[in-house]
Amino acid sequence: MYNSLARIEKQLADIELNCLRKTYIATRPKLLERAAAIKAVPDFWSTVIDEAPTEIDQRIQPRDVPALSCLISLDVERFEILDGEHGEPRSIKLSFTFKRNQWFHDETIEKRFYWRTSGNGWSGLVSDPVKIHWKDRDLTDGLLELAGNLWEKQEELKQTNGQDSDEIRATAEYMTLVEKVQRTPQDAISFFGLFGYRGLHISARQSLDAIQRQQHSAEGSEHWRDMEEELPPLPDTEIYPHGGDVAIAVSEDLYPGAIQYFSKLLIKLRSSELCLHVAAAAKERDAKISDGELGNTSSDSEERNSRNGEYHVPQPSKRSRLSG
């Protein structure tokens, strides 16, 4: 029974991956065409970020807003797709392009996320840290720099030992980062901490071996138990635990739905303009009533009472006010 269920599950997963590959290949030209058209729309991406879904919005700190308002381009590339039938479509590259600003020297910041599978059946995004060349203020308060330093030290030890080594735990880079992570509240980490996200330390070879073991498992029940394993704990050096979720939200929601998110602002502006017009007309009417130009009918009184004498106009979001 378990063999049959596992086989069907695998077939359904393969179909979904093929659909994702083909959808990406079919829509990529239009998305590039959209990117060219967006260049003519002022503040497009900064507006989209301001209207971002909760998974992204809750990770943006007030201090991030001025820097994110300089965003002029966002691109998502599924770089491991080879064709409609081959390549891992869940691996993504995020490219953020900014106009010249006072926070960092980088014009474009790119980060690759690799879809990996662990030996216990877990699958998700892993990545390597990407440093940002700050000008004056590091919005991550040094976390991103420390994460990059540790990764560089690990790569250095790997070259020396030929593989990952536990020696890294004895290094100053490791101990400094662990201490910094422990002292930093998770809800206070900058959105730019995303570029330091690593996730589980799973190499491409380890992931391939894990997938092959699952595919060649002799018993479906073993595969079924693997799928019930809990998510392994993230390393104690992880500076951005929600990085995988944020990357998925950007690639599967914010980026493809950018025009819809931008349109939200237009709807709000039109609603605000209408409310302002209605409020102005009502105030003018009330002024005429007080001057005796119009009769104070019962319907007028009821209308004012229903509004409690107040006229409400939608206010811009907190981040919009901060960046204004």
Side-chain angles (χ1 to χ4, degrees):
M1 178 180 70
Y2 288 125
N3 273 325
S4 177
L5 290 174
R7 185 178 64 256
I8 293 173
E9 180 186 29
K10 175 65 168 57
Q11 291 170 346
L12 288 171
D14 289 343
I15 291 172
E16 290 178 355
L17 292 181
N18 281 334
C19 288
L20 182 55
R21 292 186 192 97
K22 292 175 180 178
T23 298
Y24 174 78
I25 292 172
T27 59
R28 183 63 176 167
K30 278 297 175 185
L31 288 171
L32 293 176
E33 182 181 336
R34 184 188 72 174
I38 284 173
K39 291 179 180 179
V41 182
D43 303 320
F44 179 89
W45 283 109
S46 59
T47 300
V48 171
I49 290 291
D50 196 49
E51 299 294 331
T54 303
E55 295 86 349
I56 299 170
D57 181 78
Q58 65 184 349
R59 306 300 170 195
I60 298 176
Q61 304 296 332
R63 66 181 184 275
D64 297 327
V65 174
L68 288 173
S69 68
C70 297
L71 184 67
I72 58 175
S73 177
L74 172 63
D75 186 44
V76 175
E77 182 180 352
R78 299 187 181 274
F79 62 94
E80 289 193 326
I81 290 181
L82 303 177
D83 53 46
E85 302 293 336
H86 305 91
E88 176 51 71
R90 291 165 292 190
S91 294
I92 55 176
K93 181 177 76 171
L94 304 184
S95 299
F96 296 79
T97 300
F98 298 85
K99 61 185 177 184
R100 183 175 298 179
N101 62 76
Q102 67 188 71
W103 292 275
F104 38 79
H105 296 282
D106 309 86
E107 178 180 348
T108 298
I109 309 173
E110 297 180 346
K111 185 170 176 66
R112 291 175 182 251
F113 297 82
Y114 304 87
W115 189 266
R116 297 286 186 258
T117 298
S118 70
N120 74 339
W122 175 88
S123 293
L125 293 174
V126 304
S127 186
D128 296 327
V130 175
K131 287 188 175 182
I132 294 176
H133 301 92
W134 305 101
K135 290 183 177 179
D136 295 320
R137 182 187 181 187
D138 178 348
L139 295 175
T140 70
D141 194 25
L143 277 171
L144 184 55
E145 182 74 13
L146 293 175
N149 292 343
L150 177 63
W151 179 76
E152 291 171 355
K153 187 65 176 180
Q154 285 181 307
E155 291 299 300
E156 177 185 325
L157 291 176
K158 189 184 298 184
Q159 292 294 324
T160 302
N161 301 323
Q163 58 183 0
D164 289 327
S165 170
D166 288 337
E167 292 178 24
I168 192 65
R169 292 178 174 272
T171 64
E173 289 85 354
Y174 179 90
M175 291 184 286
T176 302
L177 179 55
V178 169
E179 181 183 357
K180 180 72 171 177
V181 169
Q182 291 174 345
R183 288 190 289 107
T184 305
Q186 288 297 316
D187 59 358
I189 298 176
S190 165
F191 174 82
F192 290 92
L194 172 66
F195 295 98
Y197 169 77
R198 295 193 66 181
L200 299 181
H201 299 172
I202 305 172
S203 68
R205 169 51 59 184
Q206 291 170 330
S207 180
L208 181 59
D209 290 344
I211 293 172
Q212 289 176 344
R213 284 197 301 271
Q214 289 180 7
Q215 291 176 342
H216 296 94
S217 176
E219 296 182 13
S221 58
E222 179 182 342
H223 172 80
W224 197 265
R225 287 196 303 273
D226 284 344
M227 297 304 292
E228 294 178 341
E229 290 284 351
E230 294 182 359
L231 171 66
L234 289 170
D236 48 11
T237 53
E238 178 57 63
I239 72 168
Y240 204 76
H242 304 285
D245 295 333
V246 172
I248 290 173
V250 170
S251 64
E252 297 185 359
D253 189 349
L254 187 74
Y255 175 72
I259 293 177
Q260 286 78 9
Y261 283 110
F262 183 79
S263 298
K264 279 187 177 182
L265 176 65
L266 300 182
I267 294 173
K268 287 181 179 179
L269 289 175
R270 289 169 183 163
S271 176
S272 178
E273 290 172 358
L274 178 59
C275 288
L276 286 171
H277 176 75
V278 171
K283 288 181 179 179
E284 181 181 356
R285 179 181 179 84
D286 287 348
K288 290 181 178 180
I289 291 174
S290 63
D291 291 340
E293 296 180 25
L294 293 176
N296 185 4
T297 64
S298 58
S299 61
D300 292 332
S301 177
E302 290 172 0
E303 182 179 357
R304 287 198 305 278
N305 289 336
S306 67
R307 296 194 302 267
N308 294 321
E310 298 180 355
Y311 305 94
H312 300 283
V313 178
Q315 297 298 313
S317 69
K318 179 180 179 181
R319 291 213 309 274
S320 295
R321 297 198 297 273
L322 285 169
S323 59

